[in-house]
Amino acid sequence: MQTHAPRKAAPAARSAEPPRWHVALRLLLAIPLGYGWTALATASLARFLPLPALEATIAATLASFGIYAALIVWIFHAQHPGRAALLMALSAAAMAGPLWISILLEGRL
Amino acid sequence: MKASLRQSMSWLHTWSGLLFGWLLFTMFVTGTAAYFNEEITRWMQPELKGRAAPEQAVEGALRYLERTAPDAKSWFISPPGRRTQTTNVFWQPADDGGEKRRRRRDTSAQLDSEGSKVEARDTRGGFFLYRFHFDLHYMPVIWARYLVGLAAMFMLVAIVSGVITHKKIFADFFMLRFGKGQRSWLDAHNVTAVLALPFHLMITYTGLVTLATLYMPWGIAATYQSSDSFFEARFPSREEVERLDRPAPLAPIAPMMAAARTAWNGAPVGSIRIANPGDASARISLTRASEASIASRGETLEFNGVTGAPITPVSAGLGGAALTESTMIGLHAGRYAHIGLRWLYFLSGLGGIAMVGTGLVLWTVKRRQKLPDPMRPHLGFRIVEKLNVATVAGFPASLAGYFLANRLLPLRMEGRADWEVHAMFMLWAAFAAWAVLRTARRGWIEILGAGALLFAAVPIVNLMTTERGIVHSLIHGDLLFIGFDAAMLICAALFALAARKAARKRAEPKQRARPAPAAKREAVA
């Protein structure tokens, strides 16, 4: 937390409030979409962690709340919510593809 | 948003904290109290005294079950442990199928060491506080658990963003400025949050973990076809033993309990399950008491119910992740904690209550000065303010009502245990109505004052209605009752102190003409 020194420009920037829909988009990204993204990340970890299936599933589930919290913090700090949305969409696609193929090919226990 | 990390986190901290603050406050209050749930239950059943050796109690329970439910599918026995004095039993009746659902009390009993039903008042005791902590009340359990999980997730975000917001976390830890209005509220919030920060973070995260498979089932969905197959892998159960319909007496239980103790390095038995009792196919499994280690899921040993011979275990211990999960849940529930550590849990919980409470108050204190007209605040401000009074002052005060109802309701009343709980919520509703009707300031003073009186009344009513009043417990060294009475008086004193503080500060906003730099600093926090 100490690595981010407060930017010098901050007080000036405060007067120019970002548009209202930025907050709305951040909330949308953080709460429902962020949960979906976390679910996808948890599912991927459960499948791809190099551990026995049961262990990988539990480890992924234990980590999921930390992932979700970090994601929310990142969404609210991102420069522009549109950028956060784009990065989330791209990474979600990158996770969903292999996950889908893996379940299709190897099935579930 | 071009704002700095701290500014964006400050916004996130304020709003994520406010939205679920009131629910979190009630969860912290009941959860903290629930660290003493067994002790509270014992106080709420003052008729019960003395305790027995577990072996003797289990043998008594077996006699009771043989009389009461000889043809049950299975029996469950929880012998008295370090903190309890009665034996709890329940059984699964043989004709479980199409019949209408039974009430739990028809198939369970609370027994003394001789195996007779105890004669004590009907109460949910500390167990109610424990269950309210995650099941709430007057609503379906599953909704409550989702709501509570959402609140815990907001709490986690509020903690992380709060830590980032609070840059000078260690420097400010030594700053507690009393009597300085908003600055003091901020200091109090910071100190209570930072002092027990590891606890808050631990308790929030492990709380989410206790219901993780409900909140985040997607890892399971990706690996297993159904959650049943996951749970079967996680908690391997033996196949149901087929009933042989050949009567056979049970082998003596004491040697099995002794064998289990030896196998667990002296740890006591926490629960006993007997499948097909009275049949040649009977199986007895003993599970280690959860107080014996941090990891919450105790080991189980199985025995042939007729010969008493041990049966080799199915699973070969837990993997690293499973052990971590079990330990996290154990850390949250604190069942392993001895009395000293239990008090530390309790004090940390009080820190959590204070953190959430001061945070909620800080929201209004900060905004009051910026209101266009502080005498006529807008609706949103008034709602927050009233909810603060009703929850932060009213909810803990209504707990005193729960304890008083336990002593004052008629002993043979129909639905007595439920009415103790109703009494508490009726009192809370009355406080909430009072908070709505009065100005915020009067509401704080009056409800905190009422809380002080109610808590102070608990030891007095206990003295008048039971034989275990403070004089008796001091003479006989009844530490549990001395401790409970003392805790009630401390609560009363804290409420009185808070009421006096609320009465003292007057016309606060007018006197505050603070220098600009200070105001700017606080805008961040």
Side-chain angles (χ1 to χ4, degrees):
Chain A
M1 62 196 134
Q2 299 286 356
T3 54
H4 279 258
R7 286 160 217 175
K8 285 280 184 281
R14 273 178 73 77
S15 54
E17 286 282 314
R20 280 246 148 158
W21 65 268
H22 275 202
V23 171
L25 180 55
R26 281 182 213 270
L27 286 172
L28 181 73
L29 287 176
I31 298 169
L33 299 178
Y35 181 81
W37 192 96
T38 309
L40 208 51
T42 308
S44 305
L45 282 176
R47 256 198 112 73
F48 298 123
L49 276 180
L51 289 169
L54 176 65
E55 282 286 288
T57 304
I58 297 172
T61 308
L62 291 183
S64 65
F65 305 111
I67 296 173
Y68 192 16
L71 179 71
I72 293 172
V73 164
W74 173 74
I75 288 168
F76 278 90
H77 180 58
Q79 287 281 326
H80 191 283
R83 208 174 97 91
L86 184 69
L87 283 173
M88 273 173 72
L90 288 177
S91 50
M95 289 189 289
L99 187 65
W100 185 61
I101 292 168
S102 158
I103 292 176
L104 215 60
L105 292 182
E106 291 167 43
R108 295 180 298 171
L109 294 172
Chain B
M1 221 187 273
K2 278 210 174 143
S4 75
L5 178 67
R6 281 180 64 207
Q7 280 160 344
S8 61
M9 287 304 110
S10 169
W11 185 91
L12 186 58
H13 180 76
T14 301
W15 294 101
S16 60
L18 182 73
L19 191 54
F20 278 94
W22 301 289
L23 178 57
L24 285 166
F25 187 84
T26 63
M27 286 163 66
F28 259 109
V29 169
T30 50
T32 302
Y35 280 123
F36 286 112
N37 65 338
E38 304 286 7
E39 288 77 8
I40 291 172
T41 303
R42 273 161 63 193
W43 183 87
M44 290 178 86
Q45 292 190 316
E47 297 84 356
L48 302 180
K49 290 173 209 166
R51 55 179 15 152
E55 279 80 6
Q56 188 197 349
V58 170
E59 280 160 3
L62 286 174
R63 285 197 298 276
Y64 173 86
L65 287 164
E66 266 158 24
R67 283 198 305 274
T68 317
D71 50 0
K73 241 190 221 161
S74 50
W75 297 339
F76 297 86
I77 303 170
S78 313
R82 204 164 60 203
R83 299 167 52 215
T84 52
Q85 50 195 165
T86 56
T87 312
N88 289 303
V89 296
F90 71 97
W91 57 93
Q92 245 186 324
D95 50 354
D96 226 8
E99 214 182 318
K100 67 178 191 302
R101 278 191 60 171
R102 288 154 190 279
R103 289 196 52 150
R104 167 108 186 183
R105 71 179 52 202
D106 299 334
T107 59
S108 67
Q110 195 182 7
L111 308 175
D112 65 14
S113 59
E114 299 304 317
S116 321
K117 250 186 157 157
V118 296
E119 292 296 325
R121 64 191 67 197
D122 195 14
T123 180
R124 291 187 66 199
F127 188 69
F128 161 72
L129 300 172
Y130 164 72
R131 289 305 286 262
F132 180 90
H133 175 64
F134 57 96
D135 282 351
L136 307 180
H137 202 67
Y138 299 126
M139 70 159 79
V141 163
I142 194 76
W143 294 9
R145 290 189 179 181
Y146 278 121
L147 206 58
V148 160
L150 204 58
M153 198 59 223
F154 271 76
M155 173 88 187
L156 185 59
V157 170
I159 290 177
V160 173
S161 55
V163 168
I164 299 172
T165 304
H166 196 61
K167 187 181 60 161
K168 297 201 292 179
I169 200 156
F170 290 106
D172 270 8
F173 176 61
F174 297 101
M175 295 235 239
L176 182 54
R177 283 152 289 190
F178 290 106
K180 289 212 164 36
Q182 179 186 331
R183 189 66 234 181
S184 296
W185 282 108
L186 181 58
D187 286 350
H189 185 57
N190 289 344
V191 166
T192 51
V194 175
L195 186 60
L197 181 64
F199 173 80
H200 299 320
L201 201 54
M202 177 280 280
I203 214 69
T204 308
Y205 207 97
T206 55
L208 285 163
V209 167
T210 57
L211 292 169
T213 53
L214 177 68
Y215 299 145
M216 194 57 73
W218 310 109
I220 296 169
T223 325
Y224 294 90
Q225 297 197 9
S226 75
S227 55
D228 288 346
S229 45
F230 166 77
F231 285 113
E232 187 49 45
R234 176 72 180 82
F235 308 107
S237 62
R238 276 177 195 281
E239 67 286 13
E240 286 270 298
V241 197
E242 204 53 45
R243 222 185 156 86
L244 295 171
D245 284 325
R246 214 171 53 228
L250 282 177
I253 193 111
M256 297 181 215
M257 290 174 74
R261 250 182 196 283
T262 313
W264 300 327
N265 295 323
V269 175
S271 64
I272 299 170
R273 175 174 185 265
I274 299 160
N276 301 344
D279 190 71
S281 62
R283 288 274 176 92
I284 299 182
S285 26
L286 309 181
T287 301
R288 196 183 58 197
S290 52
E291 66 193 32
S293 85
I294 296 184
S296 65
R297 314 229 197 252
E299 282 175 62
T300 296
L301 288 181
E302 214 172 3
F303 296 87
N304 182 310
V306 178
T307 65
I311 297 165
T312 38
V314 245
S315 64
L318 298 176
L323 196 58
T324 306
E325 183 205 31
S326 184
T327 304
M328 285 175 128
I329 295 172
L331 271 177
H332 188 90
R335 291 197 181 90
Y336 69 96
H338 279 263
I339 190 74
L341 188 54
R342 186 162 297 280
W343 275 104
L344 189 59
Y345 263 107
F346 183 79
L347 291 176
S348 307
L350 288 184
I353 297 170
M355 171 182 70
V356 178
T358 52
L360 285 168
V361 171
L362 185 58
W363 191 95
T364 58
V365 171
K366 254 174 78 173
R367 276 156 192 79
R368 183 187 297 285
Q369 292 152 39
K370 296 180 199 145
L371 289 172
D373 177 2
M375 298 319 287
R376 296 179 60 87
H378 55 82
L379 182 66
F381 186 91
R382 287 212 306 272
I383 291 175
V384 171
E385 203 170 45
K386 303 281 182 194
L387 276 169
N388 278 355
V389 180
T391 312
V392 177
F395 184 73
S398 67
L399 277 189
Y402 181 54
F403 299 138
L404 287 172
N406 173 265
R407 290 298 192 253
L408 294 174
L409 290 177
L411 291 182
R412 299 270 159 234
M413 182 183 182
E414 182 69 19
R416 186 180 197 284
D418 292 336
W419 277 102
E420 286 179 7
V421 175
H422 295 326
M424 175 185 142
F425 284 107
M426 277 153 56
L427 186 61
W428 190 21
F431 283 141
W434 194 252
V436 171
L437 292 176
R438 305 289 279 171
T439 65
R441 188 165 165 272
R442 298 302 318 168
W444 279 116
I445 298 170
E446 288 154 3
I447 295 175
L448 288 169
L453 292 178
L454 287 168
F455 274 109
V458 174
I460 298 168
V461 171
N462 178 51
L463 177 69
M464 294 190 308
T465 56
T466 72
E467 290 161 5
R468 297 174 81 178
I470 188 68
V471 182
H472 174 277
S473 42
L474 281 174
I475 291 172
H476 291 85
D478 187 345
L479 285 179
L480 180 90
F481 271 65
I482 296 172
F484 199 98
D485 282 352
M488 292 299 109
L489 291 177
I490 291 170
C491 285
L494 289 175
F495 268 84
L497 206 69
R500 213 177 67 139
K501 265 237 139 355
R504 273 244 184 113
K505 65 171 191 149
R506 260 197 287 280
E508 188 83 52
K510 280 177 214 157
Q511 300 170 354
R512 309 267 115 205
R514 67 181 69 248
K520 201 173 79 191
R521 237 192 102 205
E522 276 151 20
V524 172

